[in-house]
Amino acid sequence: MTLQVERPDKPKITLNIDQGEYFAAVEDDVDKVQSDINLMDAWSKDASEKMKIRIDQNVLTGILPDISPLNLGATAGRISGNINLGVAGTPVQVTKTNVLDYIVDLGTVLDESNAPESGRFLVIPAWVAGLIKKSDLKDASLTGDSQTPLRNGRLGMIDRFTLYSSHNLNRVTDGSYTAFSCIAGHKMGLTFASQMTNMESLKAESTFGSIIRGLQVYGYRVVKPEALARLYCRA
C-alpha cells in the first residue's frame, strides 16, 4: 500500500507571564552595625521561601477549574464513568484502609484518558501521606524497598505516580469538614514559567538604612486538561 505520511502540527500556545510576587525590606543602619549576623541575607532567604509558597498555592489552586470534567467528580472516568473521586458537598473520606484504592482509581482515570504512564505525579497533603505510611505499604516486603516508609520517610512511587507532599494544596470548608483537592496527572498537562526579574539594594530615603527588594514574575496554563485529575477528599 502507499504510505500516508502525516506532518504533525499544532497551533502555537501563548503563555502569559501575568503574575508576580515581590518582597521589600529595610535594614536600619543602627541594626546593621550592632547585629552580629547578616540580617539582609537572612531576610532575603526567608522572603524567597515565602514567595515560593505563595506561587505554589496560586498554581495548585488556579489549575483546578481547567481539569477535564471527565477526570473528577462522582462519575469520573472517560470510559467507565463510575469512579467516585469526590464532589462538592460530598468529599470522599480517605483512610489508611482505602488510600491506596483511591490512588489506583486516579491512575485508572488517567489511563482512560490515554495519559502517558511515565512522568506521572500526585500531590497530596501531609495527612494523606501519613495514611500511606500507616497502610499496607508500611510492610517493606510489599514495596520491594530495603526499608519501610516509616523508617526512611520516602513515599517514592505508587501505581506509576511519583508522590509529593504539599501543604499548599487548595482546601475549603465543606459542611463540617475540611476538604482538600489532591492533584494527579502527567507533566504534559500544564506549563509553567518563572523568572526572578529584579533584585536590588538601595539606600532608604526616609530613614538611615538600606532597602533590599526583589520581583519574581511567573505564569502557568493547563494545556492538556485530560492529562490532569482531581481527588476531592477529607480526613
Side-chain angles (χ1 to χ4, degrees), residues 70-229:
L70 298 176
N71 294 353
L72 49 80
T75 57
R78 186 176 66 90
I79 298 174
S80 59
N82 62 357
I83 299 176
N84 184 11
L85 296 180
V87 67
T90 54
V92 296
Q93 182 181 12
V94 178
T95 67
K96 67 178 182 180
T97 303
N98 64 18
V99 61
L100 300 181
D101 294 334
Y102 281 116
I103 294 177
V104 172
D105 286 343
L106 287 168
T108 302
V109 166
L110 292 178
D111 288 341
E112 294 187 0
S113 292
N114 293 321
E117 294 190 11
S118 61
R120 292 185 181 184
F121 64 87
L122 173 58
V123 188
I124 56 177
W127 64 269
V128 174
L131 293 177
I132 293 175
K133 295 177 182 179
K134 295 177 182 178
S135 70
D136 291 339
L137 290 185
K138 66 184 179 182
D139 185 351
S141 65
L142 296 178
T143 63
D145 296 329
S146 58
Q147 285 185 324
T148 169
L150 292 177
R151 289 290 301 276
N152 58 25
R154 184 177 64 88
L155 295 175
M157 294 187 66
I158 299 177
D159 190 32
R160 300 159 295 171
F161 289 113
T162 299
L163 271 63
Y164 299 94
S165 176
S166 173
H167 63 278
N168 298 321
L169 287 166
N170 178 258
R171 61 181 184 270
V172 297
T173 300
D174 193 337
S176 58
Y177 303 106
T178 298
F180 294 77
S181 291
C182 304
I183 299 176
H186 187 272
K187 58 185 179 180
M188 70 187 298
L190 66 150
T191 182
F192 172 85
S194 174
Q195 184 178 46
M196 198 72 186
T197 60
N198 207 351
M199 178 75 78
E200 59 186 8
S201 178
L202 61 157
K203 294 299 293 183
E205 294 183 0
S206 59
T207 184
F208 290 101
S210 300
I211 295 175
I212 184 172
R213 60 189 184 186
L215 173 65
Q216 183 174 2
V217 297
Y218 65 98
Y220 61 90
R221 180 175 177 178
V222 174
V223 292
K224 290 186 72 67
E226 65 274 18
L228 299 173

Side-chain angles (χ1 to χ4, degrees), residues 23-74:
F23 72 91
V26 61
E27 179 185 26
D28 291 328
D29 287 344
V30 173
D31 292 335
K32 182 177 182 180
V33 172
Q34 295 183 350
S35 176
D36 59 353
I37 61 174
N38 189 331
L39 293 176
M40 276 298 187
D41 183 60
W43 292 344
S44 61
K45 289 180 180 178
D46 181 67
S48 175
E49 287 298 315
K50 288 184 177 180
M51 288 197 301
K52 181 178 69 174
I53 291 172
R54 180 63 178 168
I55 292 173
D56 275 354
Q57 291 173 339
N58 288 343
V59 173
L60 293 174
T61 298
I63 66 176
L64 293 177
D66 296 323
I67 296 177
S68 171
L70 298 176
N71 294 353
L72 49 80

